[in-house]
Amino acid sequence: MTENQTPKIAVITGPTATGKTALGVLLAKELNGEVVSADSMQLYRRMNIGTAKPTLAEMQGVPHHMLDVAEPNCPYSVARYVSEADACVQSVLARGHLPIIVGGTGLYIDSLVAGRDFAGEATDEKLRLELSEKYDTLGGEAMRDELFKLDPERAAKLHPSDKKRILRALEVFISTGKTITEHDAETQKKPPRYDAAVIALSFAERNDLYDRIDRRVDLMLQAGLFDEVRELLNSGVPENSTAMQAIGYKEAALALCGEITQEEAAERIKRESRRYAKRQLTWLRRKSEIAWILWNKTPDFDFARRYSTNFFSSLGVI
RNA sequence: GGAGGAGUUCCCGAGUGGCCAAAGGGGGCAGACUGUAAAUCUGUUAUCAGUGAUUUCGGUGGUUCGAAUCCACCCUCCUCCA
């Protein structure tokens, strides 16, 4: 009786280092699922240690999608993620399996679930560069004023320093003739692509999360993060590529070229990871429909498995 | 033992009589977020109270209408001479 309903899928998210990968595999095994990763950095090939990408052993035979789908020297985007990940989800559904979205990139998950459209076809690098130079010479106020004439609604929401968003809003208008506000309104009108049951993992105490992050960074360092980054750099991945903006990678790159010590790099990686986790929490906290599992000191996967299963079945996902 | 120098709010660090709860940076906390999102941007950061009050600038006294800023003594640290 539910043939034409919005497909139901499961989502496991949460800040970094909370056990999403492990829980995803556990649930996939139990619920006949396949994992679709929602991680903006794990999708790059040859970036394994620093992204905490699941190893073959950790995957335990569970199919994982959206891992290793791009070269580190090519830019990726939400738009591309949505179309590729959506194809994966569809194929999982076609196989009669449960798609389990696992990852911490909030924007990717939201966009995939909503089936969001993005304005414009491909990015026009030349236009982007032009706008960027204009911004740098004229300043944020002037550029925001310019946007105000085209799209006052969006301009009012943006801070003059918010270069990326001001430029994107301008870029959308120039390349499509429509304001980004109009685009947003249109895509918001569409019904969600999927009916997602979202579980978020975190720790009851912020300090426990932070301790875990620190410990994991130490493990990454021991596992050879610096070597991994050196290889990427040697293979010609530019330092300003999107992939190299990943936490752990940019700091390691600085240490490798001697700008900072390895100790300093290690500290920065920890600090940036903690901050990242905080931003992830900010993103997730405003979503009311999320079911949170808050670890007490250390993950309890047996509890999480039962809790998640109950939650999914109560929502008719399984 | 002698001669200099320094101790500032979570940290670094400016501040030499009122405009100082104290620049700036870091860190923390909070927020935003629709084609770079592990990115980017913003706000806030002594305490209590709704424009006010209270406690801060190593310690204790003092000068002054008024001190982080001046004086005395004390404590701690650094450099140099012995």
Side-chain angles (χ1 to χ4, degrees):
Chain A
M1 63 175 192
T2 60
E3 296 307 315
N4 295 322
Q5 277 189 1
T6 310
K8 295 184 191 235
I9 62 175
V11 175
I12 309 291
T13 187
T16 188
T18 49
K20 301 184 288 292
T21 300
L23 181 61
V25 168
L26 247 175
L27 291 171
K29 283 169 72 176
E30 176 156 332
L31 307 173
N32 194 24
E34 297 184 30
V35 170
V36 177
S37 165
D39 187 299
S40 65
M41 293 299 162
Q42 288 184 2
L43 50 79
Y44 289 111
R45 293 183 202 111
R46 294 181 287 135
M47 291 175 61
N48 305 137
I49 298 171
T51 64
K53 192 184 292 171
T55 62
L56 233 39
E58 284 166 340
M59 293 185 208
Q60 298 183 48
V62 170
H64 278 63
H65 303 88
M66 296 309 289
L67 255 25
D68 299 316
V69 295
E71 277 303 312
N73 55 9
C74 81
Y76 208 82
S77 71
V78 209
R80 190 173 154 194
Y81 174 79
V82 170
S83 76
E84 291 177 15
D86 188 71
C88 293
V89 172
Q90 287 299 315
S91 74
V92 174
L93 287 168
R95 258 174 249 132
H97 294 174
L98 173 68
I100 304 178
I101 315 300
V102 177
T105 306
L107 178 65
Y108 282 17
I109 294 174
D110 289 0
S111 302
L112 172 64
V113 169
R116 213 173 262 164
D117 281 334
F118 292 91
E121 293 304 306
T123 39
D124 180 343
E125 288 305 328
K126 197 157 48 147
L127 173 62
R128 220 167 241 202
L129 192 70
E130 268 175 38
L131 286 171
S132 174
E133 283 170 359
K134 200 170 164 191
Y135 182 101
D136 292 340
T137 56
L138 295 182
E141 293 279 358
M143 293 301 268
R144 204 248 239 121
D145 289 347
E146 192 157 316
L147 177 63
F148 198 88
K149 291 177 210 143
L150 307 170
D151 186 351
E153 210 173 313
R154 171 54 63 113
K157 282 195 239 171
L158 296 176
H159 189 277
S161 310
D162 205 343
K163 180 174 171 180
K164 270 191 188 181
R165 294 193 177 81
I166 290 175
L167 261 38
R168 163 104 268 246
L170 250 20
E171 168 187 288
V172 166
F173 184 81
I174 293 168
S175 59
T176 71
K178 270 198 257 181
T179 66
I180 198 165
T181 299
E182 288 171 322
H183 275 109
D184 289 356
E186 273 169 37
T187 188
Q188 268 167 13
K189 268 187 293 190
K190 300 193 343 185
R193 177 97 164 109
Y194 298 106
D195 186 1
V198 184
I199 298 241
L201 267 30
S202 192
F203 287 79
E205 294 296 324
R206 179 74 64 91
N207 279 341
D208 293 334
L209 207 210
Y210 287 177
D211 285 348
R212 190 148 236 264
I213 287 171
D214 288 354
R215 269 182 281 135
R216 185 158 83 164
V217 170
D218 284 332
L219 292 177
M220 286 175 176
L221 262 14
Q222 282 170 32
L225 178 59
F226 284 110
D227 296 330
E228 181 169 281
V229 178
R230 185 182 298 115
E231 276 167 37
L232 288 167
L233 259 19
N234 287 345
S235 76
V237 177
E239 284 199 50
N240 61 359
S241 58
T242 304
M244 272 300 160
Q245 291 175 28
I247 294 165
Y249 292 79
K250 53 174 176 280
E251 294 82 4
L254 285 178
L256 289 172
C257 74
E259 252 182 74
I260 59 176
T261 64
Q262 301 217 165
E263 292 69 37
E264 169 67 15
E267 263 175 57
R268 281 200 209 181
I269 294 169
K270 288 176 186 174
R271 192 195 314 133
E272 290 308 315
S273 298
R274 292 192 295 259
R275 298 230 258 223
Y276 170 48
K278 209 150 57 61
R279 271 176 271 133
Q280 288 176 301
L281 285 170
T282 299
W283 180 282
L284 293 170
R285 276 192 291 221
R286 65 178 168 177
K287 303 181 181 304
S288 53
E289 72 286 6
I290 288 180
W292 287 89
I293 296 178
L294 300 179
W295 307 125
N296 185 224
K297 295 280 175 201
T298 165
D300 177 353
F301 288 110
D302 195 51
F303 166 78
R305 183 180 50 74
R306 286 190 321 249
Y307 179 92
S308 307
T309 309
N310 286 340
F311 178 64
F312 291 152
S313 84
S314 76
L315 290 182
V317 173
I318 54 171

